[in-house]
Amino acid sequence: MAAQNPLVQNPLVTEWDTPFALPPFTQIATDQFRPAFDEALREHEQDIAAITAHPDAPTFANTIDALELAGRKLNQVGGVFWNLTGTDSTEDLRAIERDISPRLTRHYTAISLNPALFARVADLYGRRETLALDEEQARLLELTYKSFVRTGATLQGAGRARYAEIAERLTTLETEFSQNLLADETDFLFELEESDLAGVAEDVKAAAAQTAKERNTAKPYALTLQRSSVEAFLSQSSRRDLREDLFKAWIARGENPGKTDNRPLIAQILALRQEKARLLGYPTYADYKLEPTMAHEPGAAAALMDQLWIPALRRVEEERAALQQSVDEAGGNFTLAAHDWRYYAEKLRASRYALDQAELAGYFQLENMIAAAFYCAEKLFDLRFQRRDDLPVYHPDVRAYEVTDGQGRHVAIFYGDYFARAGKRSGAWMSNFRGQKKLGGEERPVIVNVMNFSKPAPDRPSLLTLTEVITLFHEFGHALHGMLSDVVYPSMSGTSTPTDFVEFPSQVYEHWALRPEVLQKFATHFETGAPMPQALIDRIVAARHFNQGFQTVEFLASALVDFKLHWRPDSPEDIGAAEAGVLQDIAMPAFMVMRHRSPHFAHIFAGESYAAGYYSYLWSETLDADGFAAFEEAGDIFDPATAKRLREHVYTAGNRRDPNAAYAAFRGRAPDTAALLRKKGFV
């Protein structure tokens, strides 16, 4: 970012005279964030004071509408700041984050505990039946009232003070957790010689060489702890010793002794979350967290996980036996271990289905897969994506697109940030710089997808694995949920839905990634340009259930640990022992490791969004399995009538309707949970 000129007004808090009012990234300097937050917080405080001091009796307009419109500058500043801390973190940004996170928590906690403000909201809620509200307004009033209650508005005296203390302390701990994890991932480099890369595909070697060059390592190749980098090596390397070393480093993120050890933080986080839940009248944090979700209460989520756990264990044991046989037949004098699984699974996949990941990757060029995701959005939702190199971006790797509908009307701006780099948080996600709303004037969204694919070497395109193709479609499904949003109120727009519903639009979109109709058009070989042979497509389809036991157990173990740590009246002091206890109780196989071990489980400890709710992916997977079946039943994966219902009741609807009702409106009924077992091949 640019150096600050003190004579120029802070661009973070001005009206942006840029195309589509996009952030003027080149004008923004890191040291402008603190004064920008200062001004934005003052403005928001004034907005709230104006609502509470309003001389007229509460109305929907002077209270709820006003709340929705309050804090415009704070949203603008935060939209830039939080995106950059995820994609291009520096020590200066992290220092600001450590300062501003608890301050923002104090600010929002003061709003939720403001008795005059809550009195106005409660007054409206008490006479809601007399207000002649439309469906979206009625839901917004209900959610606003319940949000105040769930954030301490009805607490008194010492309870109110303690709630505020807990909220601020949790924010500090969660920020520290996130920064510790980033430090572990950023600081680690697995340096390799040419002789260490036996079995590794050329595109993976090229990416490792590029990393070594960028990080100026002593050896010519280097891997980071990014999932894409690690999993590629674990799947391909014939060096069992190196696979073990890298795997151990990967699963130890966040629990290395020293200043980045997250285990003490987790103990404090769990204790504070349970205390908060009890203050608010809930027996456990899971009871508190699941109340507003589709599941509503912990028992429903537990029942779904239990329904899948035994079939998954049965399948993974069958898979283990087959892999052990492969080890034995290859002359390996050892028992299959966790760091062996991906390597031998790929060997077995290649043997059974003639599918080799390196061969497959040759057909999955990043540019073509982006085009495939856009193509499906055009076929389903009549969208067009036009690359715009004239629009401001926050990093040279980022590309910008204007999104329009079939009539040429502006829909959104979409940013694609696809490559791993130092300072970028691991994983993949969707976020926004601006959400959609109509209240106070139409605003269309600015959406970003962030990935961590390996950057291509100068003479090769970026090639994706099968898993990475699905990840790209998954995150683009989230992006569509944000881009297509068509609601009045900003707090209801896009992905502002319960976590066990928000994954439905993303997970259902995954289904189009590997459909023959899409592969035939976009999976072309990077060297020959030849389309993927039909025989290879058939083998991909035939292998769709391969390794599902492993994938399901790996995920469910993490979901169950999250769930059981939060669904208990006490809180453990030794997180390692607590995690091991849960895994023992559920009979976790010794030859596997959970997908996210607690010390690096950012979903649940770097913030509260998915805390006690990692099961949400499974709940949404039930919806996506049943939801995509609607297209199959129609006989066309782009069936216009089914796509119209999906768009109307899911992608454009935000949170204006209860998600159970929204799904039923799309599907015509409640979801069929058996569809999930069929999708995974367990029945």
Side-chain angles (χ1 to χ4, degrees):
M1 289 180 287
Q4 182 182 13
N5 180 346
L7 301 178
V8 178
Q9 186 176 10
N10 192 324
L12 286 162
V13 291
T14 62
E15 294 294 325
W16 291 337
D17 185 21
T18 54
F20 307 104
L22 294 170
F25 295 110
T26 58
Q27 301 174 31
I28 296 171
T30 298
D31 58 1
Q32 293 169 329
F33 279 110
R34 279 193 172 90
F37 273 118
D38 290 343
E39 182 173 339
L41 285 164
R42 279 194 299 270
E43 182 191 86
H44 197 202
E45 290 168 354
Q46 292 167 0
D47 292 340
I48 299 302
I51 298 171
T52 59
H54 200 289
D56 296 339
T59 66
F60 196 91
N62 69 25
T63 302
I64 303 302
D65 282 359
L67 265 175
E68 288 286 298
L69 293 172
R72 186 170 186 273
K73 282 185 181 177
L74 190 53
N75 292 333
Q76 180 170 292
V77 176
V80 177
F81 180 76
W82 296 113
N83 276 290
L84 292 182
T85 58
T87 61
D88 294 276
S89 182
T90 64
E91 183 47 48
D92 288 341
L93 281 175
R94 290 191 287 275
I96 297 171
E97 183 181 12
R98 290 191 293 271
D99 292 342
I100 200 63
S101 293
R103 185 177 173 192
L104 286 171
T105 298
R106 287 195 299 274
H107 172 77
Y108 284 110
T109 301
I111 292 173
S112 68
L113 297 178
N114 185 317
L117 182 60
F118 178 61
R120 295 182 72 89
V121 174
D123 175 82
L124 289 169
Y125 186 70
R127 51 191 177 89
R128 59 193 179 280
E129 302 299 335
T130 69
L131 299 179
L133 304 178
D134 63 28
E135 180 185 38
E136 188 175 340
Q137 290 174 321
R139 180 157 173 79
L140 175 60
L141 178 56
E142 178 184 13
L143 292 176
T144 302
Y145 173 79
K146 290 182 176 179
S147 176
F148 271 90
V149 173
R150 287 174 55 79
T151 51
T154 59
L155 295 175
Q156 301 296 323
R160 291 171 68 87
R162 181 56 182 157
Y163 179 89
E165 291 173 358
I166 290 171
E168 183 174 342
R169 181 59 180 155
L170 276 172
T171 297
T172 299
L173 291 169
E174 290 159 359
T175 300
E176 189 175 347
F177 181 101
S178 178
Q179 294 193 355
N180 286 348
L181 178 56
L182 179 62
D184 273 7
E185 292 175 342
T186 300
D187 295 345
F188 179 89
L189 279 174
F190 196 60
E191 298 186 36
L192 300 165
E193 301 285 1
E194 176 75 33
S195 58
D196 297 327
L197 296 173
V200 176
E202 287 302 318
D203 62 303
V204 178
K205 290 175 64 175
Q210 186 71 16
T211 298
K213 181 179 179 181
E214 291 173 355
R215 302 289 290 271
N216 195 29
T217 58
K219 296 182 180 180
Y221 300 95
L223 302 174
T224 69
L225 290 181
Q226 295 287 353
R227 181 172 289 273
S228 59
S229 176
V230 172
E231 289 195 330
F233 189 82
L234 293 177
S235 298
Q236 299 171 12
S237 172
S238 59
R239 288 284 302 276
R240 187 171 191 248
D241 58 331
L242 295 179
R243 294 201 310 267
E244 182 176 10
D245 290 344
L246 181 59
F247 187 80
K248 285 180 176 178
W250 191 39
I251 65 172
R253 289 168 293 153
E255 67 172 352
N256 295 302
K259 63 181 182 180
T260 63
D261 189 348
N262 275 334
R263 289 169 293 183
L265 304 184
I266 295 172
Q268 296 177 66
I269 289 170
L270 288 172
L272 290 170
R273 286 176 178 172
Q274 297 291 43
E275 184 181 356
K276 179 173 78 169
R278 289 194 298 271
L279 273 176
L280 296 171
Y282 298 88
T284 72
Y285 182 81
D287 289 277
Y288 162 75
K289 196 65 191 300
L290 268 66
E291 185 183 56
T293 67
M294 292 185 77
H296 293 310
E297 51 88 21
L304 179 62
M305 288 187 278
D306 290 345
Q307 182 182 359
L308 203 60
W309 182 246
I310 297 303
L313 282 181
R314 188 182 307 121
R315 176 59 56 83
V316 84
E317 178 53 38
E318 295 170 359
E319 294 170 354
R320 183 209 62 78
L323 296 185
Q324 185 64 56
Q325 183 178 346
S326 297
V327 171
D328 297 342
E329 290 174 351
N333 187 26
F334 57 84
T335 300
L336 186 83
H339 56 271
D340 298 313
W341 190 286
R342 289 168 177 81
Y343 178 74
Y344 284 97
E346 290 311 317
K347 293 291 186 185
L348 187 59
R349 192 198 311 262
S351 172
R352 284 186 180 177
Y353 304 101
L355 281 181
D356 178 81
Q357 290 293 349
E359 177 194 6
L360 281 178
Y363 290 96
F364 292 139
Q365 299 177 65
L366 172 61
E367 303 305 324
N368 285 9
M369 294 302 102
I370 294 170
F374 290 171
Y375 169 79
C376 293
E378 178 179 349
K379 295 281 287 183
L380 290 165
F381 306 127
D382 196 29
L383 298 180
R384 310 289 187 274
F385 294 80
Q386 177 64 46
R387 180 79 177 263
R388 292 285 302 267
D389 292 330
D390 60 317
L391 299 182
V393 295
Y394 57 87
H395 188 278
D397 286 347
V398 177
R399 55 191 76 180
Y401 301 86
E402 182 185 1
V403 187
T404 57
D405 64 17
Q407 288 71 50
R409 292 173 298 202
H410 177 74
V411 173
I413 295 297
F414 173 65
Y415 285 121
D417 183 354
Y418 295 107
F419 299 120
R421 57 180 174 269
K424 181 187 275 193
R425 179 162 56 89
S426 64
W429 65 92
M430 165 268 185
S431 184
N432 71 65
F433 287 92
R434 181 175 69 232
Q436 177 269 330
K437 74 174 183 69
K438 294 180 182 176
L439 183 69
E442 174 82 15
E443 286 188 358
R444 296 305 306 169
V446 178
I447 304 297
V448 58
N449 268 174
V450 183
M451 313 287 175
N452 273 284
F453 302 143
S454 296
K455 199 167 185 179
D459 58 341
R460 293 174 68 89
S462 180
L463 302 177
L464 306 184
T465 66
L466 204 62
T467 299
E468 289 173 332
V469 171
I470 294 172
T471 297
L472 187 149
F473 270 71
H474 177 98
E475 297 305 335
F476 192 68
H478 279 310
L480 288 171
H481 199 186
M483 290 187 282
L484 287 169
S485 180
D486 188 29
V487 301
V488 174
Y489 297 96
S491 69
M492 310 279 280
S493 71
T495 58
S496 301
T497 68
T499 53
D500 51 8
F501 185 77
V502 77
E503 296 299 333
F504 169 48
S506 57
Q507 290 180 189
V508 76
Y509 205 73
E510 294 176 17
H511 286 267
W512 279 272
L514 301 180
R515 291 290 301 197
E517 300 93 322
V518 177
L519 293 175
Q520 289 163 356
K521 189 175 181 67
F522 293 97
T524 58
H525 198 274
F526 78 100
E527 290 178 322
T528 67
M532 181 178 285
Q534 183 60 47
L536 184 53
I537 294 175
D538 292 342
R539 296 200 299 272
I540 291 173
V541 173
R544 66 191 182 280
H545 295 148
F546 181 79
N547 215 35
Q548 274 294 325
F550 172 83
Q551 292 173 18
T552 304
V553 168
E554 183 191 49
F555 165 82
L556 262 179
S558 294
L560 285 163
V561 167
D562 161 44
F563 189 73
K564 291 178 181 292
L565 288 178
H566 287 103
W567 196 27
R568 54 186 284 176
D570 62 343
S571 52
E573 294 184 6
D574 185 339
I575 187 59
E579 179 185 284
V582 173
L583 295 176
Q584 181 177 359
D585 289 344
I586 64 175
M588 177 69 171
F591 51 83
M592 289 189 65
V593 173
M594 54 196 285
R595 182 173 179 83
H596 302 291
R597 294 197 54 245
S598 300
H600 55 256
F601 205 166
H603 274 80
I604 65 170
F605 292 122
E608 292 195 60
S609 294
Y610 282 86
Y614 194 62
Y615 80 90
S616 298
Y617 288 91
L618 181 64
W619 193 282
S620 292
E621 194 173 1
T622 302
L623 303 183
D624 86 62
D626 184 61
F628 188 74
F631 287 91
E632 294 177 314
E633 292 161 10
D636 178 3
I637 65 167
F638 297 114
D639 178 61
T642 309
K644 181 180 179 182
R645 294 198 310 274
L646 184 63
R647 176 174 182 154
E648 178 182 351
H649 299 296
V650 178
Y651 282 96
T652 69
N655 198 22
R656 66 175 171 229
R657 177 183 287 182
D658 175 83
N660 288 294
Y663 185 84
F666 155 62
R667 195 64 169 97
R669 56 167 174 75
D672 173 14
T673 56
L676 178 59
L677 295 174
R678 292 193 297 271
K679 174 187 174 183
K680 291 183 173 295
F682 292 170
V683 295

